[in-house]
Amino acid sequence: MGILSFLFGNKNEKIKDFQNRGAIILDVRSKAEYDSGAIPGSKHIPLPSIQSKVADIKKWNTPVITCCASGMRSGSAAAILRQNGVETINGGGWLNLAKKLDL
């Protein structure tokens, strides 16, 4: 087991666990990026709008997997959601996440 796996656990397993519990995929890229391709069934809220949409996201009452192009914006979104009591994980880049979800 590598030191990162020891410290952070296996991200793929966490993503599968979230998926098995009905997690919603939240894509935080711009509208143009989202419109050019996205995970089927994902929700779209651009990162600059996340803070103002926290109450709506909390109403989903389900875990959230954030994604973007590379994982940077989704990491920021996951941190904001976590600080507001939403169970979330940064899924990273949407193309890699789609492969992990077998989509």
Side-chain angles (χ1 to χ4, degrees):
M1 174 184 292
I3 187 73
L4 292 177
S5 292
F6 175 76
L7 291 173
F8 301 107
N10 185 323
K11 187 174 182 177
N12 291 343
E13 288 178 16
K14 287 183 180 180
I15 288 171
K16 286 291 187 187
D17 173 58
F18 271 50
Q19 184 182 25
N20 290 338
R21 294 189 290 127
I24 290 177
I25 310 295
L26 177 59
D27 194 314
V28 300
R29 296 176 295 152
S30 70
K31 181 175 180 354
E33 288 174 298
Y34 186 79
D35 289 347
S36 71
I39 294 175
S42 64
K43 304 260 188 199
H44 177 239
I45 301 174
L47 178 60
S49 302
I50 290 294
Q51 189 67 53
S52 66
K53 298 287 187 180
V54 167
D56 294 330
I57 295 167
K58 287 177 98 167
K59 289 177 187 173
W60 296 347
N61 201 28
T62 188
V64 174
I65 302 171
T66 59
C67 67
C68 63
S70 69
M72 295 298 291
R73 288 174 284 179
S74 56
S76 296
I80 292 167
L81 294 175
R82 217 175 285 116
Q83 289 169 354
N84 286 279
V86 177
E87 184 181 10
T88 188
I89 188 171
N90 177 8
W94 75 275
L95 286 170
N96 286 332
L97 178 59
K99 291 175 191 169
K100 290 175 187 172
L101 298 173
D102 298 322
L103 299 175

